[in-house]
Amino acid sequence: MLVPFSQVVLKVHSRCDLACDHCYVYEHADTSWRGRPRAIGEAVVDQAAHRIAEHALAHRLPAVHVVLHGGEPLLAGPVLLRRAAEQLRARLPADCALDLRIHTNGVRLNEEFCELFSELGIKVGISLDGDRAANDRHRRFADGRSSHPQVLAAVELLRTPRYRDLYAGLLCTIDIENDPVAVLDALLELAPPKIDFLLPHATWDAPPPRHGRRTPYAEWLLTIHQHWLRLGRPVPVRTFDSIVRTLGGRSSLTESLGLDPADLVVIETDGTFEQADSLKTAYDGAPATGFDIFANSLDEVARHPGMMARQSGLAGLSAQCRACPVVRSCGGGLYAHRWRTGAGFDNPSVFCGDLMRLITTIRDRVAPVQPAAAGTGAGLTEDQLDQLAGGYGDGATVRALAAGQLDLTRRLLAAVGPAAGPAWELLTELDTEAPLAVDAVLTHPYVRAWAVRCLSDGTGEADLGPLAEIAAAAALRAGRSTEVAVPVRGGAVQLPTLGRLLVGGSGTAVLRGGAAAFTVRAPGGAEFRVAHDQPAGERWLPVRRVELPAGWTVALEDLDPYRDSHQWPAEQRLTAAALADWTGSLREAWELTQRDLPQYAAGIAAGLNTITPLRPGPSGRDVSAAARQAFGAVGIARPATAPILALLLAHEFQHVKLGAVLDFHDLFDRADQRLFDAPWRADKRPLEGLFQGTYAHLAVTEFWATRVRAYDGLRGEAADHAREQLACWRGHTDRAIDTLLGCGALTPLGERFGRGMRASLDRWGSVRAEAAPLPAPAAKPAELPA
């Protein structure tokens, strides 16, 4: 059966401005590049776009992924790159999405190219092998100069707010001479959306260097994997994610692992069709097909014996591979790496031992935390997953989510903490002596927000001062009488979960705890004493909490410097009058939530510990937000009425819950880059954004359904408005669930969530509303983050 191509590598330039000695194009067996034109011609561009569109139409492909490649593709220049992008978009069928990317060494990337890519929707991947020493082992100019400064400048350009959406990730070729931890740390400093580690290309005829060790490439990657786990999996790593996915019976994210049929074809600058570029490492002419875009269709190319061999799954592997216990994860390794003169590709990978050790070790490491086939992760039972799938979650379920989030926070701090010296040592001591006191501080949402920001800092000068503040707050909660040096910021000492003491000046203060009070010696020598039960004063600003019925106590966080994690500006310290208004609104909103939304109320009480007051939106519009890295917090600008506050609380806590689920479970294929219509927004959304919005709008729909039910039989402006809102949000959510269930990218658990959301929405089908949903909300309750 013919497997259509959904991935195309379009070579737009066949030369390079670097002279990397590990390059498979110029330094390995194949020499076909010498006879090809340097730059792709316009006629080749146009015919390539025609062939790709023809293939997509014939096979009704929902999406095509095209990578503009080389050589170095930026050498093609802006005019040719524009033509390629415009031709591809113009010719593809209207119902076929185009995922367009460019992979570059980065040395020529500048604002002109970034503006072009932003206009044309082209994502940018960068090749980088680590820090300067690692990168310069291979990626140098022909005269020996380092390319590292230019590549870093390119990545920094992609990290600016204007171009951040273009940043697709980093690709690193492994060299076992490089320090793996230093390589990962150097890449993480650049805050990539994802990282891909590639084994160096080699065959049985030209094996990779091993320096006397049996599995050095597995050892190198496993060191990276352990460090990556210790950091809390800060970014996706395609190799590791593919191994976990294939161990669980799911598809791989890379052709070098798994048994998925290869669906990639290469179009060279002269219009010839080739197999995967990696075959250039096997023998001269190995990737050739004898076909070209002017004489042959992509269907003809798909029937080429070499293509079919790479699509034959288990049957196409050597007998040794077919008998291997990890074959469904390994897949025999990359096809090119199996080559041996006299035996062709009917061999295991030259990295066979490395792949076996890598896969089995990762399997053993992750199985207790995230069983690939059947486990639920995050301590959730099947019943709890079903509750969450329906949009709900009782107290025990949300507490299980919170426990998983606390564990993630601890792992993040373990990555950040050791560099903080004495503060980290104190915190680890307290964790042994008074773990509950430490947990009370670590569950503060903005502790994790700080840790993530610290690990994502690209300057190498991450601010470790907050760790001293965390240790000091934990020491005070534990009643530990010890001195802690804490930073003075803006004339104040910040103590997470406790408050802020205004001491003046800047530098370092010394805090000493006590049973009934603590003292702080300011940088200038002045000493301040604060009793634990001391009310707010001119200098001591405690965190203020509102105690509500059913055991819900929530902090109104208007002090923490990391509360700016939400998309809207945070309010400053609330005045006494504003605090009273918030307290009254919360009490009324909570009473309404308990009465009308009881299946949401229990989870809110168990998991929402912080509300960050936000400034009103434009023209006084209601705004709210949930930060992905601040579990337990929502940001809200206090609305005019308590019912809308109840709505915003339920809506935003949906985002909090689903974010916690996504930290442990794949609900969809994270490699799927398509954008989808979201009925409540003008712009299209990625899968996670659509899932988040749909999940949040379950609560919005149920809120308006309860309002309609309360107005049953009544007319008037309020009743009519509630019916309009119910019709609108039920219609929007219904269409979004259809889109999710029909997208073809949901995992089995994602399908379960889709069906659960459908069942919850159908519960409100009998509540009367306006016959036809409005095209947009009559009075949008909040600026929705999803």
Side-chain angles (χ1 to χ4, degrees):
M1 179 179 176
L2 185 148
V3 177
F5 297 112
S6 64
Q7 301 183 70
V8 180
V9 173
L10 181 60
K11 297 297 191 75
V12 294
H13 205 279
S14 68
R15 302 297 190 273
C16 190
D17 45 6
L18 293 183
C20 307
D21 59 16
H22 60 6
C23 180
Y24 57 82
V25 176
Y26 309 110
E27 301 293 336
H28 285 230
D30 187 71
T31 59
S32 60
W33 62 273
R34 299 180 188 277
R36 291 203 167 98
R38 288 177 177 269
I40 194 170
E42 291 184 355
V44 175
V45 168
D46 297 352
Q47 183 66 6
H50 165 70
R51 288 300 189 194
I52 294 168
E54 173 187 65
H55 194 65
L57 181 64
H59 295 280
R60 298 181 179 180
L61 297 179
V64 172
H65 309 274
V66 179
V67 180
L68 305 177
H69 213 285
E72 170 48 49
L74 295 185
L75 289 171
V79 174
L80 263 178
L81 294 175
R82 174 182 289 279
R83 186 179 185 92
E86 291 179 344
Q87 285 292 312
L88 287 165
R89 292 198 187 280
R91 299 197 182 211
L92 277 177
D95 58 351
C96 179
L98 174 63
D99 174 26
L100 187 56
R101 295 169 184 253
I102 191 165
H103 196 89
T104 171
N105 60 37
V107 299
R108 291 176 178 264
L109 190 68
N110 56 26
E111 288 199 26
E112 180 185 3
F113 278 120
C114 286
E115 285 295 319
L116 177 71
F117 300 155
S118 183
E119 176 191 346
L120 299 175
I122 302 175
K123 304 279 189 178
V124 183
I126 299 282
S127 292
L128 180 67
D129 290 349
D131 57 17
R132 180 164 184 154
N135 198 66
D136 287 354
R137 283 188 189 277
H138 303 286
R139 298 189 184 277
R140 298 183 300 271
F141 289 96
D143 61 6
R145 285 181 298 122
S146 170
S147 66
H148 193 252
Q150 292 94 324
V151 182
L152 287 192
V155 175
E156 289 306 319
L157 186 59
L158 290 175
R159 292 181 62 193
T160 60
R162 182 173 181 82
Y163 303 125
R164 178 74 195 189
D165 289 346
L166 304 180
Y167 191 8
L170 300 175
L171 183 148
C172 172
T173 299
I174 297 167
D175 187 324
I176 56 174
E177 292 289 330
N178 292 328
D179 180 344
V181 171
V183 166
L184 180 61
D185 287 344
L187 298 179
L188 290 178
E189 283 181 6
L190 301 177
K194 62 185 68 173
I195 297 174
D196 196 8
F197 291 106
L198 298 184
L199 290 167
H201 287 313
T203 67
W204 289 102
D205 290 354
R210 296 192 177 277
H211 305 306
R213 290 141 61 197
R214 290 185 63 250
T215 56
Y217 295 91
E219 293 165 16
W220 198 93
L221 280 168
L222 288 169
T223 301
I224 290 256
H225 183 257
Q226 191 166 36
H227 189 47
W228 179 70
L229 290 178
R230 193 181 302 119
L231 297 179
R233 300 179 176 93
V235 300
V237 174
R238 190 164 66 157
T239 303
F240 303 153
D241 291 342
S242 292
I243 288 173
V244 172
R245 288 171 63 86
T246 52
L247 285 170
R250 290 178 289 159
S251 62
S252 175
L253 304 175
T254 171
E255 67 169 331
S256 61
L257 292 166
L259 292 171
D260 305 308
D263 62 351
L264 178 145
V265 65
V266 178
I267 300 175
E268 286 285 355
T269 55
D270 59 358
T272 54
F273 285 115
E274 287 205 338
Q275 301 177 63
D277 259 11
S278 56
L279 284 171
K280 293 179 185 293
T281 201
Y283 60 89
D284 201 3
T289 65
F291 297 135
D292 70 75
I293 59 173
F294 296 101
N296 307 100
S297 69
L298 278 163
D299 278 12
E300 291 177 84
V301 181
R303 296 188 182 95
H304 183 276
M307 292 291 189
M308 296 185 73
R310 292 171 52 240
Q311 296 174 344
S312 54
L314 189 64
L317 299 182
S318 67
Q320 182 179 340
C321 286
R322 292 196 299 272
C324 178
V326 298
V327 64
R328 296 193 177 278
S329 187
C330 170
L334 194 69
Y335 191 74
H337 295 173
R338 306 173 201 168
W339 173 257
R340 187 198 301 263
T341 300
F345 295 99
D346 190 26
N347 308 287
S349 168
V350 72
F351 293 100
C352 177
D354 294 280
L355 291 171
M356 169 69 84
R357 182 174 178 186
L358 178 67
I359 292 166
T360 55
T361 305
I362 288 179
R363 178 197 63 196
D364 295 342
R365 282 179 180 174
V366 304
V369 179
Q370 189 179 4
T376 64
L380 297 173
T381 66
E382 294 297 327
D383 175 67
Q384 288 172 333
L385 276 175
D386 282 334
Q387 290 181 42
L388 292 165
Y392 302 119
D394 60 18
T397 299
V398 175
R399 282 191 290 274
L401 288 179
Q405 295 298 298
L406 176 59
D407 179 63
L408 285 179
T409 299
R410 283 178 165 276
R411 282 191 255 167
L412 289 168
L413 256 66
V416 175
W424 174 248
E425 294 171 8
L426 172 60
L427 192 61
T428 56
E429 289 175 17
L430 289 168
D431 200 28
T432 300
E433 299 170 8
L436 294 181
V438 174
D439 283 352
V441 181
L442 298 191
T443 52
H444 181 49
Y446 301 120
V447 166
R448 174 168 165 183
W450 160 74
V452 169
R453 202 175 300 185
C454 225
L455 290 169
S456 302
D457 183 88
T459 66
E461 299 178 357
D463 179 12
L464 298 178
L467 193 64
E469 298 165 351
I470 292 165
L476 291 177
R477 286 181 169 275
R480 172 84 171 260
S481 179
T482 187
E483 287 193 350
V484 188
V486 290
V488 178
R489 307 161 185 271
V493 169
Q494 183 72 32
L495 297 170
T497 72
L498 298 176
R500 176 186 295 170
L501 180 65
L502 305 179
V503 298
S506 61
T508 302
V510 177
L511 180 147
R512 174 177 283 277
F518 64 91
T519 60
V520 175
R521 188 169 66 251
E527 196 163 281
F528 304 91
R529 184 177 186 278
V530 178
H532 291 309
D533 58 355
Q534 182 174 323
E538 291 184 4
R539 291 190 175 276
W540 173 239
L541 307 176
V543 172
R544 296 176 294 198
R545 292 176 170 79
V546 179
E547 295 185 7
L548 298 162
W552 185 31
T553 299
V554 62
L556 286 170
E557 181 57 84
D558 53 8
L559 295 170
D560 195 285
Y562 290 91
R563 71 189 189 281
D564 63 353
S565 299
H566 306 287
Q567 68 201 67
W568 297 99
E571 191 61 89
Q572 296 304 308
R573 181 70 168 177
L574 297 177
T575 66
L579 176 64
D581 289 341
W582 261 105
T583 302
S585 291
L586 273 173
R587 291 188 183 282
E588 190 177 342
W590 183 234
E591 181 181 342
L592 185 151
T593 302
Q594 289 181 287
R595 184 190 70 206
D596 293 347
L597 301 170
Q599 294 196 80
Y600 294 95
I604 290 172
L608 183 58
N609 60 41
T610 300
I611 296 174
T612 296
L614 303 178
R615 297 177 188 171
S619 304
R621 183 165 50 122
D622 294 331
V623 295
S624 61
R628 184 72 170 79
Q629 299 293 352
F631 177 85
V634 299
I636 296 176
R638 189 177 65 84
T641 66
I644 295 301
L645 178 56
L647 168 61
L648 297 181
L649 287 169
H651 167 266
E652 294 303 341
F653 196 63
Q654 291 292 91
H655 289 302
V656 173
K657 288 188 296 186
L658 189 63
V661 171
L662 289 170
D663 279 335
F664 287 90
H665 300 276
D666 284 335
L667 300 185
F668 48 83
D669 184 351
R670 295 180 188 267
D672 194 314
Q673 300 294 315
R674 288 177 293 165
L675 299 178
F676 298 85
D677 287 321
W680 50 86
R681 292 181 65 128
D683 58 330
K684 293 190 174 185
R685 304 295 291 151
L687 266 174
E688 181 167 352
L690 182 64
F691 222 123
Q692 283 276 8
T694 307
Y695 197 72
H697 291 137
L698 283 178
V700 174
T701 301
E702 186 161 340
F703 171 86
W704 288 113
T706 64
R707 305 307 289 170
V708 168
R709 183 171 285 173
Y711 291 125
D712 190 29
L714 302 176
R715 302 301 299 180
E717 183 178 347
D720 291 344
H721 176 68
R723 293 185 183 97
E724 290 172 353
Q725 290 289 299
L726 174 58
C728 169
W729 290 114
R730 191 164 66 194
H732 285 347
T733 310
D734 183 62
R735 290 197 293 278
I737 293 173
D738 281 347
T739 300
L740 286 170
L741 289 173
C743 75
L746 300 189
T747 64
L749 183 58
E751 295 274 359
R752 185 169 165 185
F753 266 66
R755 293 191 300 271
M757 290 191 289
R758 166 70 65 213
S760 293
L761 190 69
D762 287 348
R763 289 180 56 220
W764 303 103
S766 61
V767 178
R768 290 179 298 170
E770 299 298 325
L774 303 178
K780 192 175 180 181
E783 181 68 21
L784 304 179

